[in-house]
Amino acid sequence: MSAKHRTLYIAVAVVVVLGGLLFAYYANYILDRTTADDRARADRKAASTADHEQPAFVSVRTPRDIEQDPPENFIVLLDRKLTASEQAGLTAVNVEGDGLGVWQFLKPLGGRLVEYAAPPAFPNDGLEDGRYTPDWRWSQSFNLNLNSDRSAGLTINSMTAVKDSCRPSTAQTVVDLPPAGAEVRQGLMWDLTGNTKDRTYGPYVLNEGEDQGQLFFRHNVIELGNGQANMAMNIQPRVSDRTCTWHINASYTDTTGTHTQRIPKGTETFTTEAAPKRPAQYFTHVIGAGWGCTGQVIRKNCPAAATVEQLPPEWFG
């Protein structure tokens, strides 16, 4: 092959290669332009599917920090009777002005703190639907934090407490620091009064103001996801004479409709403990009078100034 033909051959080959590359580039460009909308829709659908595959929100329960934020009025329950030396140690605790020392003494012995439910009544003489009764005595408050990592927003518009089981308290000992006044704390309250079959009510607003005693979700919703800040709530469940395990069913709406998520997840539950009607040992501290006790106790550990008249009427009545 002559030099002239070789040059022509190379030139033709270069033109063919460049033409092929140019055709491939423009063909790919045209394909991208014509399929851009379909691919964008597919990407959005995939992202939305992945977004909805994760839980709608995560709930975290944090117990009340009793040492840093002690309730003013409470009882401590134990599943056993205090020994004579433990009774002497308890009644030696100086309670005037601060009951935290009682808790610090009883906690290592297996004590569990239960709060007096407060307020005992609301300014509007009852809860929004007339469910208030003075038998709502006990509460074990906790903080509930709700957070969602979803890109799309969601709205919780209802939360219902469901009692899984209720039983009489099995505590043997009650140490009581009765209320001298009502301690009002901001938060939401559920009425868990009664047995498992009895309906629950709430959540009610405990915050002071016009909404106190009203149903929270009548005028409020909880917005999560889409960059919204987490929701932190103080939860105050109330029981009377029965200890109840329970959970919350939260109803929420998102772009796919209405759904329900359980709080806490799986088969986990919350527990709210009540005081027993007939404890084997009962100790109470009356301001200005000192310690009194009844039941299977060593009488010398309780000053005579505090008498059985201070006991709740349904106990030992």
Side-chain angles (χ1 to χ4, degrees):
M1 180 181 296
S2 65
K4 181 178 179 181
H5 285 91
R6 282 197 302 272
T7 301
L8 180 61
Y9 177 79
I10 292 172
V12 171
V14 170
V15 170
V16 170
V17 170
L18 291 176
L21 292 173
L22 190 61
F23 175 80
Y25 171 79
Y26 279 105
N28 188 59
Y29 173 77
I30 294 171
L31 181 63
D32 283 345
R33 289 292 301 272
T34 56
T35 62
D37 291 342
D38 290 338
R39 286 186 293 105
R41 282 192 292 269
D43 290 344
R44 287 194 298 269
K45 183 177 180 179
S48 177
T49 299
D51 199 32
H52 284 83
E53 284 177 349
Q54 60 181 327
F57 55 87
V58 176
S59 60
V60 179
R61 175 190 182 276
T62 306
R64 180 174 182 172
D65 189 338
I66 297 171
E67 277 70 25
Q68 296 297 320
D69 181 25
E72 293 182 7
N73 317 115
F74 60 88
I75 61 174
V76 180
L77 305 180
L78 295 97
D79 289 332
R80 64 174 181 84
K81 292 178 283 188
L82 294 178
T83 66
S85 62
E86 289 168 345
Q87 292 178 44
L90 169 65
T91 55
V93 175
N94 181 11
V95 184
E96 299 296 338
D98 183 9
L100 188 58
V102 172
W103 168 242
Q104 292 171 338
F105 177 80
L106 293 171
K107 181 180 179 181
L109 303 180
R112 301 181 302 281
L113 188 144
V114 176
E115 304 161 44
Y116 269 87
F122 292 104
N124 59 1
D125 295 324
L127 295 174
E128 183 274 339
D129 61 354
R131 275 291 302 170
Y132 173 77
T133 75
D135 292 331
W136 294 355
R137 286 184 172 277
W138 315 115
S139 179
Q140 288 176 303
S141 61
F142 58 89
N143 295 316
L144 184 65
N145 288 273
L146 305 178
N147 188 47
S148 177
D149 291 331
R150 283 191 176 183
S151 299
L154 62 95
T155 301
I156 298 176
N157 46 42
S158 175
M159 297 175 76
T160 303
V162 179
K163 288 184 280 191
D164 298 291
S165 65
C166 292
R167 58 171 176 78
S169 173
T170 58
Q172 294 292 300
T173 298
V174 174
V175 179
D176 185 7
L177 276 74
E183 177 196 20
V184 180
R185 293 175 58 83
Q186 294 186 355
L188 303 181
M189 183 271 283
W190 264 286
D191 167 23
L192 306 179
T193 301
N195 211 334
T196 310
K197 68 181 187 313
D198 296 315
R199 178 184 168 188
T200 63
Y201 293 84
Y204 299 101
V205 177
L206 289 181
N207 304 25
E208 291 184 327
E210 294 182 357
D211 290 338
Q212 189 180 63
Q214 305 297 312
L215 290 168
F216 174 78
F217 285 102
R218 176 155 293 181
H219 303 294
N220 301 277
V221 296
I222 297 174
E223 301 283 358
L224 297 174
N226 193 28
Q228 296 275 359
N230 71 309
M231 179 67 174
M233 301 174 289
N234 178 260
I235 304 298
Q236 300 180 56
R238 295 189 181 188
V239 295
S240 54
D241 62 338
R242 291 178 179 270
T243 295
C244 292
T245 60
W246 58 287
H247 67 272
I248 298 170
N249 285 337
S251 175
Y252 70 93
T253 57
D254 59 15
T255 55
T256 65
T258 302
H259 313 275
T260 300
Q261 184 166 310
R262 190 183 192 278
I263 304 172
K265 64 181 181 180
T267 59
E268 298 177 30
T269 59
F270 304 119
T271 298
T272 305
E273 192 166 3
K277 283 189 174 181
R278 298 289 190 275
Q281 294 179 338
Y282 177 85
F283 298 84
T284 184
H285 186 273
V286 180
I287 297 176
W291 285 98
C293 60
T294 190
Q296 302 171 26
V297 296
I298 307 299
R299 298 291 175 176
K300 67 179 182 180
N301 290 327
C302 297
T307 66
V308 177
E309 278 73 30
Q310 278 87 36
L311 299 181
E314 69 273 21
W315 290 351
F316 305 101

